[in-house]
Structure formats: C-alpha cells, structure tokens
Amino acid sequence: MLLVFFIGFLTCCSALFSNYYESYTGKRISVEEFKEHVKRNTSFWCTNEILPCNPHEGRRLDGSCNNLKYFTIGASHTPPYRMLPPYYSKGPMGFEPKLTKGGEEMPLPRAVRTSVLLEGHIPNLEFTHMLTHFLVFIVGDFVSLQDTVTYIIWKPYCCSERGKKDYACVPNSIPNDDPIHRFSDIRCLNMTRPESFQSAGCTPNTTVPERAVSGTPAFDLSHVYGSSMKVLNEKGRMFQKGLLKYEVENGKIWPPSTKGPNLCYANQPPRETRCHDTPEDGLNTILGGNLMAVWIWRYHNAIATALGGVNPCWDDDRLFFTTREIVIASIIQIFYYEVLPLIMGRENLINDGVISPDLGFRDIYDDSLAPQISIEYPFTWRWMHTVQEGNVKLYDSKGYHLNDLKLVNMTLRTGYVAENIDGITQGAIRQPMAKFDNAVDFDMAEVVLGPHQRASDVFTNDLAKNRYFFLAPYIKYREYCFGERIRSFDDLSHAFEPERIELLKEKYKDVEDIDLLVGMWLEKYIPGGTVPATFYCIIAHQQLRSVVSDRHWYERPNRPNAFTLDQLLEIRKFTIAGLLCAVGDSITEVQPKAFLRAGRGNEMINCKDIQQLNIMAWRDSSCRKNPFG
C-alpha cells in the first residue's frame, strides 16, 4: 500500500513540476508553460527538457548535469557569461551599439576595417592550411551558424527597401570613398542582428540581448553528435556495433546523405549531389568543418569496430558511448596539446595551467565554477579570419599541384567537397596558410560568401558584431588582462608599434572608443606565440575554465567512466597526423607534425610509422570466455 502511495506521489510531482526549464534563467516551468512556448514557436530557443541528474552517468549529449549544483548550465541553448559588463546605448527600438565617449556614432565598421587591415596575399612559411581547417571545425563545436544562414537564405534583402522595415536587419554602410567600392554602385553589405534570447522571445525587451547558440559550451563535438538524443537516434546511430550510420560511395565512407531539400544551396547538380544528413546541419557549411566532420565520422566507426573486435561481449550502447568518449578526448588532445602550443606558446600555456607538462592525470575540477564559455571567447576566435587563406590548392599524393579553388565558393557546397576530397586533403598538409600579420585575403575581405551575396566583408561583419555583442572597449580588456591603467593613446606605446597607434588615432577620437577586435588586429603578439596578447589572454582564460569546470574532462581520474592511466597514455599519443593516416583520403604518408610544413626534422614518413591508439588498452577481460565454464 505504501509503495502504491509512493508511486502515485511521484507521478503527481512529475506532472506538477515537469522536466522543462527556461534555457535562459534555468527556472523550472510547468507543462502548461512549455505548451505556451510551443504555441508561440519559442520552445526551441527558450526551453530545455532536462531529466534528473545521475552523478554516476557519463557526458550527456545536451550538456546538462555537467555540474550537479548548476545542472541546467552547460546545456545547449543556455547563455554565456561575460568577462566584462556589456557596453551599449538605449535607443527608441531597444538596445543598440554604444556611442563614442563623446556621445557620437562610432566610426563605420567598413571604414575602420579598410584603414587598419591591408589586403594582399602573404603565405606563411611555417604553418599548413590544415591548421585553419582544424580551427574552423573546433570553433563550430560551441557556436551556431544560424546568423550566417539567416542573412544568406532567410534575410538576404537587408540592403533593400524591405530591409529598412525589418528590425533584424543591420546592414553595414560602405562610405563613398571606399578603396574598392568607390568604383562600383555597392554601398551596403548585408547583415542581420545576432540571434539572442531577446530576439527569440525568451526574455523581455528590457533585458540586454544575450547571444543564443545551439551548441553546448563544452568541448564535446556537439556539432558532430548533436545535442539531442532523439535527433542522434534518428539521424546518427545505426544501433549496430556502436556505429554511426554511413554510406559507401566510390570506395569511400561518408556520413549519410539527405535525399530531400537541404542546406547545400551551392551544389552544382547533376554531378554535385551529396549533402550530409547528420544531427547538425552546420557540418555542410564551411570547408574546414566539412572535412573534419567526414574524418571524425569515419574515425568513430573505425574505433567502434576495433572496440567491438577486442570486446565481443559489449552491447551497442556501450560500444557507441565509449567510442564517443575516445573520439572527443582524441580531438581535445589535438586541440590543447598540438594546436594551441603552436600559436600561443607551449611554455605560456603550461605556466598559466592550461595544459599539463606531464602525461598523467590532472584533477583540477571546481564544482563552484559553472561550465560556460564567455561571450568574448568565440568572438575572439574571429581574429583568425586574418590568417585565413582564400585560395585552396589541390595536390595529388605525390605532391604535384593539380588545381586551385576559391574557399569562398565552398560554403554550402558539400557536393564539390565529396568530388574533390582527395586533392583538398593533400593540399591541407602541403599548402601554407596565410601569414600572421595585418594583411588579409582579398576574397575574405570583399567576397566571403561566394555566389550567396553580391559582396561581403567578413572583417567588417566581425567588427559590427563586436558592437552588437555589446563588448567592452579594447582598453577595458587590456586592463582586465594585464592590470594596466590606460588613459591616453600614449599609454598604448608598449602594446602597439608607433605607426599602428597613428592608425588608431585616425579613426578613434578617444582611446576608450577602440573596439576590442580592432585592438587585437593591430596589437603586438604575446612573447613565445604568434597571436595578439589580448587574444591570448581571452582564449587562455577560457581554455583553463573549460578544464576546471567540466566534470567529464578527459584528463580527470575521478570522473564517471574515467580512462585508466594506460588509456589516457594512448590518447596522449594521438595527433592530427594520426587522424589523417587513420581516415584521411589518399593519405599514405604525412609529416608527423602535420600543422607544420614538411621539411628538415619534419619530413614526410609512411603512415605505418605514425602512432595510432592501441585499442588493447580498452580490452575488457570479462569478455574472455571462461575455459572452465
């Protein structure tokens, strides 16, 4: 009788409290309130369904329960935090970008950009194009591409009369003396407001708009596996041997291809037809993300197959989720221990606690720190647009140059990638990326979106979004990072070359007006690295927070389903060269440090000499047959 009462009580409580939460506030809402969101078409951004946490379970797809104290924080669609308070102006229509210290409009983003960034092509003699491909992919793990899709597909009209009536449209004006468009009739670059919890209808207009993204804030490959178990089960899992669904075409393994309407608008049929039908559509967009997604899809299945071979008693669920943990850890290992030291300086990262100097475990978890990313973090990565090479070179496996293609024409064109992936992959490890300087690729500065827009400037858009994210002025971050007190342009003499300070003075009347991004465009690099000092500060701050706040961080010995020491040591071996040799197209030899160009001390070697994971470290002794049974 008591059991019947207890079950009835739980049922009643479940109906009363539900498992629905506001994504912005984390407040629990009733089923009726959730249904109201469905009626208003706001449930996608404004609500999350979160089941009760189990402290012994592994990493959830939706990111919830990463922190058992703040279990809603860390889920997809939850807000970032801010390193510094927002700076903005209040207008009749709501929150708008801040005015200058003198109360005037800030200088036009396009005018600032063309004044401080040169246009030209200077190759980097050290790094390969593989570095930018990887970084494009990794950034996709914690952002959304809905803003780009919005102004490419849904609102391409912001520079027209129609756009003047649409509050979502915030196009960038081009001055009449523009160095490029003075010779054309183009005086406007299309752009829409960043998606926010306010624009999505989650918060009232009286609150500062905060960025809304669909990815989780953890490094968990949510842009590959998705952030919804329902969607993963429908589009991703094969439910056999731990595998992801796949297709084989021309002897190559691919993620499943959609047969209906899709995002690959730039495909040129009948030859170009492939478009990934995966848990996240964003993998069809930018070339680097597309390449890495295909390789990780294959890598998952390769690991699952190997695990099943050594552990025949494991069921599909155990194979799948163990494989997912291995794949996530492998990619984080590449990011933290191979990529970041190259651009930020290994000793810098060790000194700041971002990476460990040792191969073993490290356990620096702090459950008082919510698993979030700062709004500044993904924005700061936009600085890397300045080193994006616009020309993609295709090579054969012997190193002979085959062809060139325009990177800007590859967005939403998965079909072309599928047809040419061998040449693109060979080019990724042979072609130099653009040099770390303030010269930017012409196509990135004037075209960017290929056939999707008549003209576009990624750097102007980035600067405009600097303001629409309401980021604090550059000098405030300089003060935050380095404890400096900056009152005049002269106080920046140690951070900039003299001629670059003059460029700043030409566009900004007061030192406090300098935009964060513009400061990073012109700033001196961090000693020991090849990135601006403030860039280093913001990125390193987040990389450390991500380690400390992630209950499931792969280097921790005490997390649920933790690796053994032998397993962690296998993860430590993994490199981008190992990934390419395992699943890369036509890769039979590669330089061991594939983010660096081949040369003395980094000569190309046969893939059989590149270290791979020894899956025997995951062998389950209980799977062995009992010879006496």
Side-chain angles (χ1 to χ4, degrees), residues 371-613:
Q372 294 173 289
I373 61 170
S374 67
I375 191 170
E376 291 90 350
Y377 177 71
F379 174 79
T380 298
W381 277 114
R382 291 172 184 262
W383 176 86
M384 293 296 296
H385 281 145
T386 63
V387 296
Q388 177 65 65
E389 174 62 71
N391 218 31
V392 178
K393 296 182 180 295
L394 280 62
Y395 288 81
D396 69 10
S397 60
K398 301 297 183 182
Y400 292 106
H401 178 227
L402 301 175
N403 192 16
D404 288 1
L405 62 92
K406 295 291 187 183
L407 179 71
V408 296
N409 292 333
M410 292 300 103
T411 302
L412 306 181
R413 196 178 174 186
T414 296
Y416 183 92
V417 177
E419 289 290 320
N420 297 276
I421 196 166
D422 285 338
I424 295 172
T425 302
Q426 290 289 343
I429 62 171
R430 299 172 190 275
Q431 179 187 355
M433 66 180 284
K435 191 174 181 180
F436 286 80
D437 56 19
N438 72 321
V440 299
D441 184 84
F442 178 85
D443 283 342
M444 296 295 291
E446 306 299 344
V447 185
V448 187
L449 297 170
H452 304 289
Q453 300 275 293
R454 188 180 176 198
S456 190
D457 176 355
V458 71
F459 309 102
T460 293
N461 278 12
D462 288 346
L463 178 49
K465 287 180 180 179
N466 181 143
R467 299 171 184 179
Y468 280 103
F469 291 156
F470 309 120
L471 299 182
Y474 164 75
I475 66 165
K476 299 299 181 182
Y477 289 97
R478 190 83 199 182
E479 292 170 3
Y480 176 90
C481 290
F482 307 110
E484 300 169 350
R485 184 65 175 163
I486 300 169
R487 296 181 176 86
S488 69
F489 285 100
D490 291 340
D491 293 334
L492 293 175
S493 60
H494 63 291
F496 296 85
E497 298 295 342
E499 62 272 18
R500 295 189 173 189
I501 293 179
E502 289 303 312
L503 288 176
L504 292 172
K505 288 180 177 178
E506 289 177 8
K507 289 300 175 185
Y508 297 99
K509 292 183 178 179
D510 192 282
V511 70
E512 193 169 320
D513 295 334
I514 301 171
D515 296 283
L516 170 62
L517 184 59
V518 176
M520 292 192 296
W521 279 344
L522 299 180
E523 192 179 43
K524 291 180 181 178
Y525 293 165
I526 191 78
T530 58
V531 295
T534 305
F535 175 103
Y536 174 90
C537 167
I538 294 171
I539 298 300
H541 183 278
Q542 181 61 54
Q543 304 301 165
L544 179 57
R545 182 186 175 113
S546 292
V547 177
V548 174
S549 66
D550 188 347
R551 188 166 65 95
H552 301 287
W553 187 258
Y554 78 108
E555 295 175 292
R556 295 192 63 226
N558 301 316
R559 66 187 176 96
N561 306 318
F563 294 135
T564 66
L565 179 58
D566 285 344
Q567 291 167 354
L568 178 61
L569 291 177
E570 289 302 316
I571 297 292
R572 296 288 197 202
K573 296 177 183 177
F574 202 64
T575 62
I576 191 65
L579 178 67
L580 290 168
C581 283
V583 295
D585 301 88
S586 75
I587 296 291
T588 57
E589 61 177 20
V590 64
Q591 63 269 38
K593 299 175 182 178
F595 291 122
L596 298 176
R597 298 185 70 197
R600 175 178 287 186
N602 193 34
E603 295 87 354
M604 284 195 168
I605 60 176
N606 194 290
C607 273
K608 64 181 177 58
D609 297 317
I610 298 291
Q611 284 189 321
Q612 296 288 351
L613 298 189

Side-chain angles (χ1 to χ4, degrees), residues 5 39 70 135 144 180 214 242 273 288 354 363 444 464 469 505 560:
F5 170 80
K39 287 181 183 177
Y70 316 107
L135 286 173
S144 299
I180 298 297
S214 56
T273 58
V354 176
D363 192 4
M444 296 295 291
F469 291 156
K505 288 180 177 178

Side-chain angles (χ1 to χ4, degrees), residues 61-82:
L61 251 79
D62 67 3
S64 65
C65 297
N66 194 332
N67 185 300
L68 299 177
K69 290 182 179 178
Y70 316 107
F71 61 90
T72 64
I73 299 177
S76 57
H77 300 170
T78 52
Y81 78 97
R82 287 182 179 271

